[in-house]
Amino acid sequence: MEREDGGKTFVVQWNNAEGGITEGPLSLLWSLIESYKIDIFEVSLSRITEDFLRFLKISESIQIDFGAEYALMAANLVYLKSKALLPDPGFEEEDYDPPLPPELVEKLLEHKKFQLTAQKLSEIDKVQSSVFARETNQVIDEEENWLDLSLLDLISAFNTILEKREEEGEIPALLTAPHRYSVEEKMETISALLVQRSDISFEELFSSVQPEKAEVVAVFLAMLELCKQRILAIRQHKTFGEIRIFLVGEPWNAKNPA
Amino acid sequence: MEREKSGLKGLIEALLFLSGEPLKLASIAKSVECEKHEAREILDELILDYQERDGGFVLREIAGAYQFFTNEKFSEILAQLFKEKKRDQLSRSSLDTLAIIAYKQPITLSEIDDIRGVSSRAMVTSLISKKLVKPVGNKEVPGRPALYGTTKEFLLHFGLNKLSDLPAPVEVKELKFENLDDLIENEQE
């Protein structure tokens, strides 16, 4: 965006690698300073205030809506400018053009510092997004690698499963054949699974053919019940974060409940 | 003794090769039955070996655990070959906010806003949901605002072992503005 008015020109970058006017008022100020092509300590406060206000006016006329932050910065600039123009008793010079106040310069430099640093992080991010770890299923068998997990972890894992289901799109309950799921039935299935495998992952419990939400809930409740009866233990791997279910007691039997 | 060490080195290498998870020093030492400092020495050697070889993959210590990773220099090509596996990159404004939190942690929301010049609440919320940032406490000032810091996921995301491995923040001195020394000194006080 470019504007010539009364002999002064300013150019603002819409958006570039280091941020442009859409990145907030501080970026807009930087954009202006860069277009002046002078040192930040020589930038005139009144010139930048004028340009900032003029920019807001132009953006209004071409209907871009900037947030309250811009208005706040404009008000701040006008305030700083008026403060700097108050007569200073010990200082007599007719056309004194105050520079940017140090607190604003410091703010601008700090802002710039982090924008440039963010760029550095962005490069790392780009490289690391395609650095892959070796993948195998082998896990060193070590009892103490497994931690007992908190209720909160369990709930969040449960939510993940429900969310995953929603992504796949759920058939409305009315359209599916009515089926009642019983917790007991699920307890039996889980027990049977554990007898075969001795430990299974949390996801595997639910990954059967397209379970309905009601079924997911039943499985979850069954799991909690088995855990309560000390038939299974739910643990999370220390480094891997995977939740697995272990058989620790006698498998559950409907005829002979513990 | 020397022979025993080379055997140990091979064993640890095999362990890392086979393992599908990052391995901590303690668990490596325990698995191969040696002292931690011995294991550390061997792991450092292994890291160097792979670094010098500069092949398809390297051994790295990330967030305190050892694991094999593909060589960074192939990341561009691998990104094209494994589009599915590639994880999303962060947006510019996310990175801005994340950089401020990473280097200034623990930091409050209003301090972040102050540096960015715009409201960062939404950015911080999205970083929290990405598990890169977490609340780490409260600042003991009126209102007790929440303080934010980076997480272990953050280290994994950027492939860092510890926070001090972050690249040095860009010093504004590099911008070649004169008279800056005074300002920077003030900042350090």
Side-chain angles (χ1 to χ4, degrees):
Chain A
M1 192 180 281
E2 205 163 326
R3 168 85 178 180
E4 195 167 334
D5 194 10
K8 283 181 191 164
T9 317
F10 65 84
V11 183
V12 288
Q13 292 283 330
W14 186 254
N15 222 335
N16 62 12
E18 288 176 27
I21 56 175
T22 51
E23 292 288 326
L26 287 172
S27 295
L28 172 52
L29 285 180
W30 263 113
S31 207
L32 288 170
I33 292 166
E34 270 156 24
S35 82
Y36 299 160
K37 296 193 172 62
I38 50 172
D39 197 285
I40 187 168
F41 293 94
E42 286 160 22
V43 171
S44 138
L45 177 60
S46 54
R47 180 175 175 194
I48 205 164
T49 307
E50 254 170 61
D51 286 348
F52 193 92
L53 292 174
R54 208 177 299 146
F55 171 79
L56 286 192
K57 215 175 241 170
I58 300 166
S59 65
E60 217 170 78
S61 70
I62 52 174
Q63 294 184 342
I64 323 171
D65 235 353
F66 284 115
E69 296 103 356
Y70 292 83
L72 177 67
M73 178 58 77
N76 222 337
L77 283 171
V78 174
Y79 167 72
L80 288 171
K81 187 184 156 193
S82 61
K83 209 170 84 171
L85 286 178
L86 283 176
D88 182 348
F91 195 81
E92 284 197 28
E93 200 179 321
E94 282 272 309
D95 4 277
Y96 172 61
D97 196 2
L100 294 180
E103 62 266 30
L104 184 60
V105 172
E106 199 174 333
K107 222 175 184 178
L108 279 164
L109 290 178
E110 180 89 344
H111 176 74
K112 193 65 169 185
K113 174 174 154 186
F114 281 106
Q115 278 205 320
L116 293 173
T117 307
Q119 250 174 285
K120 261 193 181 180
L121 286 188
S122 162
E123 281 153 28
I124 303 179
D125 187 30
K126 193 177 167 205
V127 172
Q128 294 300 327
S129 69
S130 310
V131 166
F132 304 112
R134 179 169 158 73
E135 279 174 36
T136 70
N137 297 324
Q138 301 297 323
V139 173
I140 298 181
D141 222 356
E142 233 185 301
E143 179 65 23
E144 63 193 52
N145 261 343
W146 297 90
L147 306 170
D148 289 328
L149 79 175
S150 69
L151 182 60
L152 216 63
D153 290 323
L154 207 55
I155 291 172
S156 89
F158 180 62
N159 271 330
T160 319
I161 302 244
L162 278 185
E163 268 166 32
K164 209 154 76 187
R165 294 235 356 86
E166 265 155 39
E167 273 168 28
E168 284 161 10
E170 206 169 342
I171 304 161
L174 275 174
L175 295 179
T176 54
H179 184 91
R180 287 182 184 278
Y181 298 100
S182 82
V183 175
E184 278 195 8
E185 175 199 333
K186 291 296 167 196
M187 280 164 77
E188 220 159 317
T189 336
I190 296 173
S191 281
L193 260 173
L194 280 171
V195 170
Q196 284 170 23
R197 306 256 313 266
S198 89
D199 71 281
I200 45 177
S201 82
F202 184 68
E203 273 93 13
E204 271 177 278
L205 277 186
F206 301 93
S207 63
S208 63
V209 247
Q210 293 286 311
E212 283 170 43
K213 199 178 265 178
E215 191 178 359
V216 175
V217 173
V219 170
F220 191 67
L221 286 177
M223 189 185 72
L224 289 180
E225 182 59 33
L226 287 171
C227 189
K228 191 180 136 198
Q229 295 186 14
R230 298 185 189 281
I231 291 169
L232 57 78
I234 310 163
R235 295 197 187 122
Q236 184 168 34
H237 196 270
K238 198 164 66 187
T239 44
F240 221 30
E242 189 196 31
I243 296 173
R244 288 190 87 88
I245 323 271
F246 295 85
L247 183 68
V248 287
E250 285 296 302
W252 191 74
N253 190 326
K255 284 155 213 135
N256 180 24
Chain B
M1 179 67 205
E2 198 48 44
R3 213 168 129 214
E4 197 180 292
K5 195 186 161 190
S6 76
L8 208 55
K9 189 171 167 181
L11 183 58
I12 289 180
E13 195 176 13
L15 208 65
L16 287 163
F17 176 75
L18 206 57
S19 172
E21 58 178 278
L23 291 179
K24 292 206 164 166
L25 179 68
S27 101
I28 294 173
K30 203 182 153 212
S31 305
V32 301
E33 291 170 354
C34 74
E35 291 294 315
K36 269 192 195 176
H37 70 90
E38 276 178 274
R40 156 91 59 195
E41 218 171 274
I42 290 170
L43 283 162
D44 285 347
E45 253 176 58
L46 278 171
I47 288 177
L48 259 167
D49 287 353
Y50 281 98
Q51 220 167 46
E52 276 165 17
R53 187 171 161 266
D54 198 22
F57 56 88
V58 290
L59 182 62
R60 288 167 70 178
E61 189 186 2
I62 287 179
Y66 296 85
Q67 198 173 16
F68 282 117
F69 287 92
T70 58
N71 194 329
E72 280 181 13
K73 70 176 178 188
F74 299 121
S75 84
E76 217 165 299
I77 302 159
L78 289 177
Q80 287 164 13
L81 293 173
F82 296 94
K83 281 200 185 86
E84 297 273 300
K85 280 175 86 174
K86 184 175 181 290
R87 76 164 157 67
D88 292 335
Q89 281 168 243
L90 295 166
S91 73
R92 275 240 12 220
S93 345
S94 298
L95 279 165
D96 272 0
T97 314
L98 193 56
I100 294 169
I101 296 174
Y103 287 93
K104 298 221 121 188
Q105 59 184 310
I107 185 170
T108 67
L109 189 60
S110 68
E111 286 162 349
I112 301 169
D113 287 351
D114 211 41
I115 297 174
R116 289 192 64 220
V118 284
S119 167
S120 309
R121 185 178 294 274
M123 280 299 136
V124 172
T125 313
S126 111
L127 288 171
I128 290 176
S129 71
K130 289 194 176 87
K131 292 187 178 160
L132 297 172
V133 163
K134 64 176 178 202
V136 290
N138 297 78
K139 192 168 187 176
E140 292 306 329
V141 292
R144 290 176 40 89
L147 286 164
Y148 297 96
T150 53
T151 60
K152 191 180 156 191
E153 305 286 328
F154 169 81
L155 294 176
L156 295 173
H157 187 105
F158 288 94
L160 305 167
N161 187 30
K162 41 197 187 311
L163 273 177
S164 54
D165 292 340
L166 275 170
V170 177
E171 278 307 322
V172 208
K173 265 187 207 163
E174 287 171 27
L175 293 171
K176 292 191 188 85
F177 287 116
E178 290 164 12
N179 312 332
L180 244 165
D181 294 343
D182 301 349
L183 229 158
I184 285 164
E185 264 169 35
N186 286 343
E187 240 178 47
Q188 282 165 350
E189 271 164 25

